Amino acid sequence: MWTPVALDAEKGVLYAPVGNPSPDFYGQARPGDNLYTNSLVALDVKTGKLLWFHQFGPGDVNDRDLSQVSPLFSTTVKGSARNLVTVSGKDGLLHLVDRDTHEQLYELPITTRTGFEEKPSLDGAHGCPGLLGGMEWNGPAYSPDTKTLYVATVDWCGTFTRLPAPPAYAQNAHYYGGSVTPDPRDQARGWLRAIDAASGKERWTQQWPTPLVAAVTVTLGGVLFTGDLDNNFLAIDAATGETLYKFNTGGSVGGGVISNAIGDKQFVATTSGVVSGFFGGTGNATIVIFSLP
């Protein structure tokens, strides 16, 4: 696991997003479903006991980790009050799951998904999302006021190649069994979407010129905060998707976004700087804080 867990504090249930199996691109070395990889796993937070699970990508050979099991929220779906969790990952899908019945209510694509069933081959198989596509480190946001989910994703495809023979396992080293060659960086994009939480229907969609890996934070004032890899911190109209304010932080924005109040003054903080070895980025590690006058 490499992304956040989610806690239902009232019921004492911890939800964990489990990543992909290894070797990543060589499925012949690990036949079967490979439980509990690419799964939402629900645990008793006090004992660690497995309560239930849902596997979204059995026997994955394309490194399409499950990465997010948040937010946890409650709303009315088809006339019934339900306790819900949104589940997403590098498969480029958003799933809505009932936390009580464990039923999946819907799934919908949140980035480009082409050549999805193509498996890594000796000659290479092109597919979307690639190794760096779909939902990465930061999950969706939910507005209880408008009952809307806000989702930021990466649109970046790649070519999946498998080794001719099973890879040897070595301690403290990657265990891949192949590789992925991302499409040229200038072809990578992002998506920002507003989705009706109950129905899964899109309210609005914006394509972004860079991958979107920063957190998305929504306020009751109808403002959405996030950032992009062109160094911009962004304030967006949550109802329409229109950019209301943009500020160049001097570094890539790919981390968390926090809104809080001290006394009567509201603050918004974000991180800025190099994002990761995969996504690169620019700028020194910085925390940037905004407030209204």
Side-chain angles (χ1 to χ4, degrees):
M1 299 193 307
W2 52 278
T3 44
V5 295
L7 175 65
D8 182 336
E10 182 180 348
K11 295 186 177 181
V13 180
L14 184 72
Y15 296 92
V18 184
N20 65 281
S22 292
D24 294 41
F25 311 110
Y26 204 99
Q28 296 93 322
R30 45 171 176 81
D33 288 347
N34 307 141
L35 289 177
Y36 293 88
T37 61
N38 292 13
S39 296
L40 175 156
V41 173
L43 305 172
D44 184 307
V45 73
K46 293 182 179 178
T47 66
K49 178 183 176 182
L50 175 65
L51 300 175
W52 61 278
F53 75 96
H54 188 123
Q55 188 175 37
F56 293 90
D60 173 33
V61 292
N62 292 87
D63 199 294
R64 291 184 172 132
D65 310 63
L66 184 67
S67 62
Q68 301 296 331
V69 288
S70 66
L72 308 179
F73 63 98
S74 302
T75 193
T76 300
V77 179
K78 296 179 180 178
S80 300
R82 291 180 181 258
N83 297 314
L84 304 165
V85 55
T86 56
V87 181
S88 49
K90 288 164 59 179
D91 61 355
L93 292 171
L94 181 75
H95 313 265
L96 187 71
V97 177
D98 187 306
R99 285 183 277 142
D100 298 322
T101 67
H102 314 160
E103 171 191 6
Q104 178 173 285
L105 303 181
Y106 62 73
E107 67 176 27
L108 65 147
I110 49 177
T111 191
T112 299
R113 298 175 80 249
T114 58
F116 189 82
E117 301 302 328
E118 296 290 330
K119 298 188 179 350
S121 67
L122 297 178
D123 297 328
H126 190 264
C128 308
L131 178 70
L132 305 175
M135 178 68 70
E136 294 284 337
W137 297 291
N138 292 291
Y142 174 70
S143 169
D145 185 45
T146 61
K147 298 177 174 51
T148 303
L149 288 162
Y150 298 93
V151 185
T153 57
V154 180
D155 196 332
W156 200 350
C157 309
T159 299
F160 296 79
T161 305
R162 174 176 59 82
L163 293 176
Y169 174 77
Q171 193 170 8
N172 301 322
H174 286 139
Y175 187 41
Y176 278 157
S179 63
V180 179
T181 302
D183 287 359
R185 179 59 182 264
D186 61 8
Q187 296 180 17
R189 299 288 185 269
W191 292 101
L192 186 60
R193 304 176 190 271
I195 298 165
D196 182 289
S199 67
K201 294 181 179 178
E202 290 187 352
R203 299 187 189 274
W204 53 259
T205 302
Q206 296 275 12
Q207 187 173 40
W208 222 259
T210 77
L212 293 176
V213 294
V216 180
T217 298
V218 62
T219 71
L220 285 177
V223 178
L224 193 69
F225 295 112
T226 189
D228 65 23
L229 300 188
D230 277 343
N231 302 352
N232 296 308
F233 173 77
L234 302 156
I236 293 168
D237 188 321
T240 65
E242 176 189 359
T243 298
L244 303 173
Y245 174 76
K246 182 163 61 174
F247 179 86
N248 189 312
T249 66
S252 305
V253 181
V257 179
I258 298 173
S259 176
N260 69 290
I262 300 176
D264 294 330
K265 196 163 189 174
Q266 192 75 19
F267 295 87
V268 179
T270 190
T271 59
S272 171
V274 173
V275 175
S276 75
F278 286 117
F279 283 93
T282 59
N284 297 321
T286 306
I287 295 176
V288 185
I289 301 175
F290 303 84
S291 72
L292 291 175

